[in-house]
Amino acid sequence: MRKPLFKTSFTLASTLILALSISACGSQNSSENSGAAATVAPTASGQASDTPAAKAPVKISYLTFRVGTHASAKLEEEQIKQFNAKYGKEVEVVVEEIPSDSAYEDKLKILAVSGDVPDVVMGKNGINDILIKGNLVTPFNDYLDKDPEWKAAVGEAALAANTRDGKVWSISDQKQNIGYFYNKEMFEKAGIQPAQTWDEFMSNNEKLKAAGFVPLALMTGENAWTTNLILAALVGTNGEAGNTFMNTLHPTDFNTPEMIQALNMMKTMLEKYTTKDALGAGYANAANAFSQNKAAMIANGPWMIGDFSDPTKSSADFDKKVGVAAYPNNSLISTYEVGYMIGAKTPETRDAAEKFIRFKTGIEGQTIALEYGNVMPVSNEIQPSDALKQKYPLFVESIKLAQQTQVHYQSFDSIVYPNITDAWKSLYPKLVFGQSTAEEIAKELTKIAAKHK
Amino acid sequence: MVRKNKGYITLFLLPTVVLFIIVYAVSIVILFGTSFTEWSSGRKPVFIGLANYIQLFTDDSDFRKSFLNTGVWVLLQSTIHVAIGTVFAIILNMKEFYWKFARTVYMFPNIISGAAVGMLFLCMLNPDFGAVNSIVRLFGNADYAQNWFMDYTTAFFSVTMTWLPYAAVVTILILAEIAAIPESLFESARIDGASELKINFYIILPMLRNIIGTCVILAGTSMLQKMDIIMMTTGGGPGNETMNLPIYIYKTALMENNFGYSNSVGVFLIGFGLVFVLLCRNLFRIGSSQN
Amino acid sequence: MRILRKGLVVLKYAFVLLIILLSLGPFLWVLMASFKTNAEILNNSLGWPKSFRFSNYVMAFKIAPLSRFYINSVIVGIFGTLLNLLLLGMAGYVLARFQFRFKNLLMGAFSLSLLIPGAAMLQPLYLTVNTLGLYDKVVGLIIVYAGFGLPVSLYILSSYFLTIPKEMEESAYLDGASFIQTFFRIILPISKPGFGTAGVMQFLLCWNEFQFAIILTTGNQSRTLPLALYYFKSQFASDYGVMFAATMVVIIPSILVYILLQKQVVSGLAAGAVKG
C-alpha cells in the first residue's frame, strides 16, 4: 500500500525538478516579452551589447482588454502588428493581455494606487480621472503642437472632449455613435416603422407584443448596457435640461424630473416589453435574444454589425433582416471614447508611448479600427473602403444616421462615476420589483455619486 | 526532552513564519494603518482618526446589510453545511455499493473555480432558458419564469444554494478522520450487540469532535471570503439583498475609490472573524488531544 | 421500530440521490451545452445537442492561449502544493505536539490569515511581491498561493497530527531516532490521509485562483488557466457554446487530477487504519 505513494511522489519530485529547470531557463528569455518594465532592464542591456551598432528599441508596456472574444480584439491585433512592422526597430511594445474589461479596470486601479502605471493606458470608466488626479500621466499638448497633421486627424471635437483645464489628457480612438438595431421582419409583421417620438416608441412596443414578439432585448446585469442606452436617450431627448444633463461630465444630482420620468418609462419596458431574463441578464443574453430572432430591438453600437453575419452568433441570413435606427426625436448617442493616455515616466519611454498612441489614433490606426472592427473613426476624413461598404451595408447606414440626426447626447457610462455604472445592476431589480419608486432610485443615485472619492 | 527539541521547533516553524510575513503581515499592517486614514487613489493617505469607523457604525446601511448577510451565511455554513457534510460522510462510511462514485461526484462543484460555478448557476437558473425553469415548465406550468437571482423573494436563497449543499470538503475531512478510528473500538461495540446507528452516534460522532470543530471554523470563515460566486450571479443585488462584506470592501475600494474606508471594513471583518474563531475553538475545545 | 428503520433507509437513499443530482446536474448541463450552438442553448436547453460540435473546443483553444496557461497551471499547482505541504507539515506538527512560549501567539497570528479579506489584500500584496522582485514570476505565484493555503493546511494537518497516539514517537525516540528522523520516517507516513486532503485543497486553490493571478502577472509565460475563462467574458462577447467549451477545458483537468490524487488519499486511508 505504501509503495505506490512513494513511487508517485518520487516521479512527482523529479518532474518538479525538471520543470523548475525549464522554467528557470525559460525565465531568461521570457522577460523579453513580459511586461514587467522594472525587471527587464538587465536582459535588455545584455541584448544591446550583442548588437552594439543598432540602438536597442525602447520598451513600453501596454495593457489591453481587447483580447479573446472582445469585439475589438481583431483591430487591436492588427494595429499592433502594423505598428511593429513600421516602428519595431525604435519601439518595442510589451503587450499585457487582460481578459475582460472589469479585470482590466481593477488591475489599473491597483497599479494606480501603488503608483506603477503602464506606459500606455486606456483611460476608460473613470481611470482617466484617477490618473489625472494622481498626477500619473503626461498631457499631449506639446506633442500635438509639434504634429498638426495628427492634430487634424483627431479633430477639434474629439480633443475638446478629453481636455481639462486646457490640457489634453488623452487621445480618443473612436467615436461612438449609438442608435438601435431592429428586426425588419418583425417590424413589418407588426406593421410599424422606427419611432419618431417616444409615444410612438411605446405604441410600437405594444404592437410588437400584440404580434407575438418580444419588443426589446434589455439587460440589467453587468453595466446594464443595452438598457442604459435607451435610458440615456430618454433623458437626453427630454428638453434642454435633459440634454444638458446627458452632456455633463460627472453629474452629481440625479434627482431631476427628466431622470425620474425616464426611470418610470424604463420600468414599464422592463416589466412589459422585454425578455423574461432581462433583469440580471448580461450582454450575452440580450445580444443572443436579438440575434436569435427572439427580440425585435437592441440598442448597441456599430461594432455589433459584424456579429449579424457570423453564423456562430446569429441565425442564417440574419444580417439581411437587420435595420438601424436613431432614437426618437431624431437623436443619437454620440460620445468620444476616452482613449489612450501616457503613463510613461522617463522622457524616452514617454516619446515612445506617444509614438504608439499617435499611430493608433492617427489616420492609419483609425483606418485599421474601421476596417477590422467596424469602429467609427474620430476623423471625418476617413471613409470606409468599398469592400467594407459591400460587406456591411448596415455600417454605411449607421454613418448616414450620424449625419442626419440633430440631437446628440452621451451614454451614461461615459459621463457618470464608475460606482454609478456598477450600481445599476442592483438598482433596476429594486425598481422593477417595486422595492423603490423612480423618485427613490433617483435619490439613491445622487447618494451613490456623492460617495465617490 | 523539551529543551533538546527547542532548536528543532524553531527550525520547523521558521519557514512558515517567513511565508506568513511575506503574504499576510505586510497586508495586515497596511490594512490596519490605512483604516485610520482618508485614502483614495491619486492622493496620499491623510490621518483622520476613527472617522471611518464612526461612519461605518452610525451612518452606513449598506454596511449593516452586508454585515448581517455575512453573519447569516457564516451561521448557515457552520451549521447546516457542516451537518450535511458530516451526515454524508457517515453514510459513505457504510461503504455501500455507490460510495466511491458518490464521494467523487460530490467533490465536482468544489473542484471547479468559484467564477465557473457562478457562471454555471447563472445559466442553470436563467429565467428564460435555464434548466430549472425548463424542468418546471415540463410539469405543466408553461409560463413559469421565476427570476431566481433577481427576485427579492428568492435571491438570497438562490445564492445560498450555490454553496450550502456542496460540503464535499467536510465529507472528505471527516472520512479521513473516521478511517483513523481504531477498528477494535467498533468490533467490541458490535460484540456487545450495538446497532450501526448506535455505533455512529455513540462511538464515531464523539471521536470526531476535533475535526468537526475544524470544519466549522473552515466552513464558517470561508464565508468571510466569499466573493466570486456572488459577483458572477447577483453582484450583491437586487438592491443590497445579497451583498456581503467582501463585496462591500471590493466596491468601496475599487468602485468608490475609497481605500481608507474600505480598509476599515476589512479590519472590522477580521475582528468579526477572530471572535467567531475563538468561539469555535472554545466550543469544540480544539487543540486538546483526543486521547 | 421496523418501520422507523425502513424510513431511515429510504431517507438515506433519497439524501444520497439528491446530493448526486445536485453535484452532477450542473456539470452535465454545461458539458451538453459545450457542444451546442447558441440557438440550441437558447431554444432547447435541456435536450441533447443535435450534433456534437467540437468546433466550440477548437475555437476555445484558438481564442485563448490555453496550452501555455495549462503548463503554468501545472507548475504552479504542483509546486504550490508541495511547498505548502512541506512547510505546514513541519509547522503543524510542532504546533500540535509541543508546548512552547509563543505558541498561542503564533496560532493566533496564523488563524488571522484565515480572516483577511482577499479584496483588501490586492494592493498590499502587489506592493510586497513587486518589492521582492517576484512580480510576473511563476515563483511569485507559487509563494503567494502556498501562503493562501496556510490556514487551511495548518488546520487540517495539525488536527490530523492530534489523532496520532504519542506512543508512536516515544517508541521511536527510545529506539534512538532523532527529531527529524521521527518526523520524516514515522509521522509523515502515517499522516498520509491528512496530507492527501490538505494537498487536494491546496492544489485546487492553486488551480482556480484568478484575482491575484491577474494582478501579480503580466505576460502569458507566467499566467494560469483560470484567466483563460475571462477571454470569453469580454464586454461584447456573446458566444455561449465556446464559453462553455472553455469552461469544460478548465474544469476537466482539475476533475482528473482530483480523481488521480484521490487514489492516493484512499490508499492513505487504508494505511492510516493500520496505525491504531
Side-chain angles (χ1 to χ4, degrees), chain A residues 292-320:
Chain A
Q292 301 291 343
N293 293 303
K294 287 192 147 191
M297 293 180 261
I298 188 169
N300 203 3
W303 55 86
M304 196 190 183
I305 290 171
D307 289 358
F308 299 145
S309 46
D310 181 343
T312 59
K313 290 179 177 161
S314 305
S315 57
D317 281 331
F318 186 70
D319 53 332
K320 311 235 160 43

mmCIF file of all heavy atoms in Angstrom, chain A residues 292-320:
data_model
loop_
_atom_site.group_PDB
_atom_site.id
_atom_site.type_symbol
_atom_site.label_atom_id
_atom_site.label_comp_id
_atom_site.label_asym_id
_atom_site.label_seq_id
_atom_site.Cartn_x
_atom_site.Cartn_y
_atom_site.Cartn_z
ATOM 1 N N GLN A 292 -30.947 35.812 -32.269
ATOM 2 C CA GLN A 292 -31.620 34.532 -32.488
ATOM 3 C C GLN A 292 -33.119 34.744 -32.699
ATOM 4 O O GLN A 292 -33.927 33.856 -32.419
ATOM 5 C CB GLN A 292 -31.392 33.582 -31.311
ATOM 6 C CG GLN A 292 -29.939 33.269 -31.023
ATOM 7 C CD GLN A 292 -29.287 32.426 -32.111
ATOM 8 O OE1 GLN A 292 -29.959 31.817 -32.923
ATOM 9 N NE2 GLN A 292 -27.962 32.414 -32.126
ATOM 10 N N ASN A 293 -33.484 35.922 -33.162
ATOM 11 C CA ASN A 293 -34.879 36.222 -33.516
ATOM 12 C C ASN A 293 -35.845 36.119 -32.341
ATOM 13 O O ASN A 293 -36.988 35.720 -32.511
ATOM 14 C CB ASN A 293 -35.373 35.279 -34.615
ATOM 15 C CG ASN A 293 -34.658 35.512 -35.914
ATOM 16 O OD1 ASN A 293 -34.667 36.627 -36.437
ATOM 17 N ND2 ASN A 293 -34.007 34.486 -36.429
ATOM 18 N N LYS A 294 -35.362 36.454 -31.158
ATOM 19 C CA LYS A 294 -36.272 36.387 -30.017
ATOM 20 C C LYS A 294 -36.778 37.755 -29.602
ATOM 21 O O LYS A 294 -37.794 37.875 -28.950
ATOM 22 C CB LYS A 294 -35.571 35.738 -28.818
ATOM 23 C CG LYS A 294 -35.394 34.247 -28.995
ATOM 24 C CD LYS A 294 -34.970 33.612 -27.695
ATOM 25 C CE LYS A 294 -35.539 32.214 -27.569
ATOM 26 N NZ LYS A 294 -35.360 31.695 -26.223
ATOM 27 N N ALA A 295 -36.023 38.785 -29.923
ATOM 28 C CA ALA A 295 -36.458 40.134 -29.580
ATOM 29 C C ALA A 295 -36.302 41.030 -30.799
ATOM 30 O O ALA A 295 -35.452 40.779 -31.657
ATOM 31 C CB ALA A 295 -35.630 40.684 -28.420
ATOM 32 N N ALA A 296 -37.121 42.096 -30.863
ATOM 33 C CA ALA A 296 -37.179 42.887 -32.085
ATOM 34 C C ALA A 296 -36.180 44.031 -32.127
ATOM 35 O O ALA A 296 -35.832 44.507 -33.197
ATOM 36 C CB ALA A 296 -38.585 43.440 -32.273
ATOM 37 N N MET A 297 -35.725 44.513 -30.962
ATOM 38 C CA MET A 297 -34.809 45.662 -30.971
ATOM 39 C C MET A 297 -33.704 45.479 -29.933
ATOM 40 O O MET A 297 -33.935 44.913 -28.876
ATOM 41 C CB MET A 297 -35.563 46.955 -30.604
ATOM 42 C CG MET A 297 -36.584 47.413 -31.603
ATOM 43 S SD MET A 297 -37.369 48.934 -30.994
ATOM 44 C CE MET A 297 -38.877 48.302 -30.290
ATOM 45 N N ILE A 298 -32.538 45.997 -30.272
ATOM 46 C CA ILE A 298 -31.462 46.072 -29.284
ATOM 47 C C ILE A 298 -30.702 47.369 -29.498
ATOM 48 O O ILE A 298 -30.436 47.761 -30.633
ATOM 49 C CB ILE A 298 -30.506 44.854 -29.372
ATOM 50 C CG1 ILE A 298 -29.515 44.886 -28.199
ATOM 51 C CG2 ILE A 298 -29.745 44.821 -30.698
ATOM 52 C CD1 ILE A 298 -28.726 43.604 -28.045
ATOM 53 N N ALA A 299 -30.427 48.059 -28.417
ATOM 54 C CA ALA A 299 -29.635 49.278 -28.517
ATOM 55 C C ALA A 299 -28.174 48.892 -28.423
ATOM 56 O O ALA A 299 -27.764 48.262 -27.452
ATOM 57 C CB ALA A 299 -30.004 50.235 -27.385
ATOM 58 N N ASN A 300 -27.406 49.254 -29.431
ATOM 59 C CA ASN A 300 -25.974 48.967 -29.391
ATOM 60 C C ASN A 300 -25.292 49.669 -30.555
ATOM 61 O O ASN A 300 -25.954 50.105 -31.493
ATOM 62 C CB ASN A 300 -25.711 47.458 -29.442
ATOM 63 C CG ASN A 300 -24.361 47.100 -28.858
ATOM 64 O OD1 ASN A 300 -23.626 47.954 -28.359
ATOM 65 N ND2 ASN A 300 -24.015 45.829 -28.918
ATOM 66 N N GLY A 301 -23.966 49.745 -30.489
ATOM 67 C CA GLY A 301 -23.211 50.482 -31.491
ATOM 68 C C GLY A 301 -22.806 49.635 -32.686
ATOM 69 O O GLY A 301 -23.001 48.417 -32.685
ATOM 70 N N PRO A 302 -22.217 50.272 -33.705
ATOM 71 C CA PRO A 302 -21.926 49.604 -34.977
ATOM 72 C C PRO A 302 -20.934 48.444 -34.870
ATOM 73 O O PRO A 302 -20.881 47.618 -35.788
ATOM 74 C CB PRO A 302 -21.351 50.725 -35.855
ATOM 75 C CG PRO A 302 -21.115 51.877 -34.964
ATOM 76 C CD PRO A 302 -21.957 51.711 -33.760
ATOM 77 N N TRP A 303 -20.157 48.356 -33.767
ATOM 78 C CA TRP A 303 -19.216 47.239 -33.654
ATOM 79 C C TRP A 303 -19.951 45.907 -33.612
ATOM 80 O O TRP A 303 -19.362 44.859 -33.791
ATOM 81 C CB TRP A 303 -18.336 47.403 -32.423
ATOM 82 C CG TRP A 303 -19.128 47.579 -31.156
ATOM 83 C CD1 TRP A 303 -19.620 46.575 -30.376
ATOM 84 C CD2 TRP A 303 -19.551 48.801 -30.562
ATOM 85 N NE1 TRP A 303 -20.322 47.108 -29.332
ATOM 86 C CE2 TRP A 303 -20.304 48.473 -29.410
ATOM 87 C CE3 TRP A 303 -19.367 50.143 -30.885
ATOM 88 C CZ2 TRP A 303 -20.870 49.446 -28.587
ATOM 89 C CZ3 TRP A 303 -19.927 51.093 -30.053
ATOM 90 C CH2 TRP A 303 -20.675 50.749 -28.931
ATOM 91 N N MET A 304 -21.259 45.966 -33.385
ATOM 92 C CA MET A 304 -22.034 44.719 -33.314
ATOM 93 C C MET A 304 -22.386 44.202 -34.703
ATOM 94 O O MET A 304 -22.786 43.042 -34.857
ATOM 95 C CB MET A 304 -23.309 44.975 -32.507
ATOM 96 C CG MET A 304 -23.997 43.710 -32.031
ATOM 97 S SD MET A 304 -25.621 44.049 -31.336
ATOM 98 C CE MET A 304 -26.096 42.403 -30.799
ATOM 99 N N ILE A 305 -22.250 45.058 -35.709
ATOM 100 C CA ILE A 305 -22.737 44.698 -37.043
ATOM 101 C C ILE A 305 -22.097 43.411 -37.553
ATOM 102 O O ILE A 305 -22.768 42.574 -38.152
ATOM 103 C CB ILE A 305 -22.484 45.875 -38.025
ATOM 104 C CG1 ILE A 305 -23.425 47.033 -37.651
ATOM 105 C CG2 ILE A 305 -22.705 45.455 -39.469
ATOM 106 C CD1 ILE A 305 -23.136 48.329 -38.376
ATOM 107 N N GLY A 306 -20.804 43.245 -37.289
ATOM 108 C CA GLY A 306 -20.118 42.034 -37.738
ATOM 109 C C GLY A 306 -20.760 40.755 -37.215
ATOM 110 O O GLY A 306 -20.769 39.728 -37.901
ATOM 111 N N ASP A 307 -21.306 40.828 -36.016
ATOM 112 C CA ASP A 307 -21.904 39.627 -35.419
ATOM 113 C C ASP A 307 -23.122 39.119 -36.188
ATOM 114 O O ASP A 307 -23.439 37.938 -36.153
ATOM 115 C CB ASP A 307 -22.354 39.922 -33.972
ATOM 116 C CG ASP A 307 -21.173 40.094 -33.033
ATOM 117 O OD1 ASP A 307 -20.030 39.936 -33.513
ATOM 118 O OD2 ASP A 307 -21.380 40.373 -31.852
ATOM 119 N N PHE A 308 -23.813 40.049 -36.895
ATOM 120 C CA PHE A 308 -25.061 39.650 -37.555
ATOM 121 C C PHE A 308 -24.827 38.689 -38.714
ATOM 122 O O PHE A 308 -25.722 37.962 -39.120
ATOM 123 C CB PHE A 308 -25.824 40.885 -38.050
ATOM 124 C CG PHE A 308 -26.212 41.823 -36.943
ATOM 125 C CD1 PHE A 308 -26.219 43.199 -37.137
ATOM 126 C CD2 PHE A 308 -26.559 41.320 -35.696
ATOM 127 C CE1 PHE A 308 -26.570 44.055 -36.109
ATOM 128 C CE2 PHE A 308 -26.911 42.175 -34.653
ATOM 129 C CZ PHE A 308 -26.914 43.545 -34.867
ATOM 130 N N SER A 309 -23.610 38.722 -39.268
ATOM 131 C CA SER A 309 -23.343 37.783 -40.359
ATOM 132 C C SER A 309 -22.422 36.658 -39.899
ATOM 133 O O SER A 309 -21.917 35.894 -40.706
ATOM 134 C CB SER A 309 -22.746 38.530 -41.555
ATOM 135 O OG SER A 309 -21.735 39.403 -41.119
ATOM 136 N N ASP A 310 -22.208 36.555 -38.594
ATOM 137 C CA ASP A 310 -21.376 35.484 -38.039
ATOM 138 C C ASP A 310 -22.276 34.309 -37.658
ATOM 139 O O ASP A 310 -23.115 34.424 -36.754
ATOM 140 C CB ASP A 310 -20.656 36.034 -36.796
ATOM 141 C CG ASP A 310 -19.744 35.010 -36.157
ATOM 142 O OD1 ASP A 310 -19.906 33.802 -36.467
ATOM 143 O OD2 ASP A 310 -18.898 35.393 -35.351
ATOM 144 N N PRO A 311 -22.146 33.184 -38.355
ATOM 145 C CA PRO A 311 -23.088 32.077 -38.141
ATOM 146 C C PRO A 311 -23.058 31.489 -36.730
ATOM 147 O O PRO A 311 -24.032 30.882 -36.299
ATOM 148 C CB PRO A 311 -22.658 31.032 -39.172
ATOM 149 C CG PRO A 311 -21.266 31.394 -39.535
ATOM 150 C CD PRO A 311 -21.138 32.861 -39.365
ATOM 151 N N THR A 312 -21.944 31.680 -36.001
ATOM 152 C CA THR A 312 -21.942 31.140 -34.645
ATOM 153 C C THR A 312 -22.746 32.021 -33.698
ATOM 154 O O THR A 312 -23.117 31.602 -32.614
ATOM 155 C CB THR A 312 -20.502 31.016 -34.080
ATOM 156 O OG1 THR A 312 -19.914 32.312 -34.085
ATOM 157 C CG2 THR A 312 -19.665 30.067 -34.902
ATOM 158 N N LYS A 313 -22.990 33.248 -34.121
ATOM 159 C CA LYS A 313 -23.685 34.165 -33.224
ATOM 160 C C LYS A 313 -25.115 34.457 -33.641
ATOM 161 O O LYS A 313 -25.969 34.753 -32.822
ATOM 162 C CB LYS A 313 -22.907 35.479 -33.125
ATOM 163 C CG LYS A 313 -21.611 35.304 -32.377
ATOM 164 C CD LYS A 313 -20.827 36.583 -32.290
ATOM 165 C CE LYS A 313 -19.569 36.362 -31.461
ATOM 166 N NZ LYS A 313 -18.574 37.375 -31.689
ATOM 167 N N SER A 314 -25.376 34.403 -34.937
ATOM 168 C CA SER A 314 -26.701 34.787 -35.409
ATOM 169 C C SER A 314 -27.283 33.678 -36.275
ATOM 170 O O SER A 314 -26.555 32.862 -36.819
ATOM 171 C CB SER A 314 -26.621 36.066 -36.235
ATOM 172 O OG SER A 314 -26.002 37.076 -35.499
ATOM 173 N N SER A 315 -28.608 33.697 -36.416
ATOM 174 C CA SER A 315 -29.258 32.719 -37.287
ATOM 175 C C SER A 315 -28.912 33.050 -38.739
ATOM 176 O O SER A 315 -28.439 34.135 -39.047
ATOM 177 C CB SER A 315 -30.768 32.755 -37.059
ATOM 178 O OG SER A 315 -31.246 34.055 -37.279
ATOM 179 N N ALA A 316 -29.172 32.101 -39.630
ATOM 180 C CA ALA A 316 -28.756 32.238 -41.016
ATOM 181 C C ALA A 316 -29.387 33.472 -41.663
ATOM 182 O O ALA A 316 -30.553 33.790 -41.424
ATOM 183 C CB ALA A 316 -29.141 30.982 -41.796
ATOM 184 N N ASP A 317 -28.588 34.176 -42.463
ATOM 185 C CA ASP A 317 -29.044 35.366 -43.196
ATOM 186 C C ASP A 317 -29.619 36.441 -42.288
ATOM 187 O O ASP A 317 -30.436 37.249 -42.724
ATOM 188 C CB ASP A 317 -30.112 34.980 -44.237
ATOM 189 C CG ASP A 317 -29.449 34.395 -45.472
ATOM 190 O OD1 ASP A 317 -28.302 34.782 -45.748
ATOM 191 O OD2 ASP A 317 -30.074 33.554 -46.126
ATOM 192 N N PHE A 318 -29.191 36.437 -41.070
ATOM 193 C CA PHE A 318 -29.769 37.386 -40.132
ATOM 194 C C PHE A 318 -29.446 38.832 -40.522
ATOM 195 O O PHE A 318 -30.266 39.736 -40.356
ATOM 196 C CB PHE A 318 -29.273 37.098 -38.715
ATOM 197 C CG PHE A 318 -29.923 37.940 -37.666
ATOM 198 C CD1 PHE A 318 -31.249 37.738 -37.332
ATOM 199 C CD2 PHE A 318 -29.228 38.958 -37.020
ATOM 200 C CE1 PHE A 318 -31.863 38.520 -36.371
ATOM 201 C CE2 PHE A 318 -29.847 39.741 -36.060
ATOM 202 C CZ PHE A 318 -31.164 39.518 -35.743
ATOM 203 N N ASP A 319 -28.231 39.029 -41.086
ATOM 204 C CA ASP A 319 -27.822 40.398 -41.402
ATOM 205 C C ASP A 319 -28.775 41.095 -42.378
ATOM 206 O O ASP A 319 -28.891 42.311 -42.368
ATOM 207 C CB ASP A 319 -26.375 40.438 -41.917
ATOM 208 C CG ASP A 319 -26.153 39.471 -43.067
ATOM 209 O OD1 ASP A 319 -26.872 38.444 -43.113
ATOM 210 O OD2 ASP A 319 -25.281 39.737 -43.915
ATOM 211 N N LYS A 320 -29.465 40.316 -43.187
ATOM 212 C CA LYS A 320 -30.394 40.932 -44.150
ATOM 213 C C LYS A 320 -31.660 41.451 -43.458
ATOM 214 O O LYS A 320 -32.385 42.262 -44.018
ATOM 215 C CB LYS A 320 -30.795 39.899 -45.200
ATOM 216 C CG LYS A 320 -29.618 39.176 -45.800
ATOM 217 C CD LYS A 320 -29.588 39.270 -47.305
ATOM 218 C CE LYS A 320 -28.208 38.975 -47.860
ATOM 219 N NZ LYS A 320 -27.507 37.833 -47.261
#
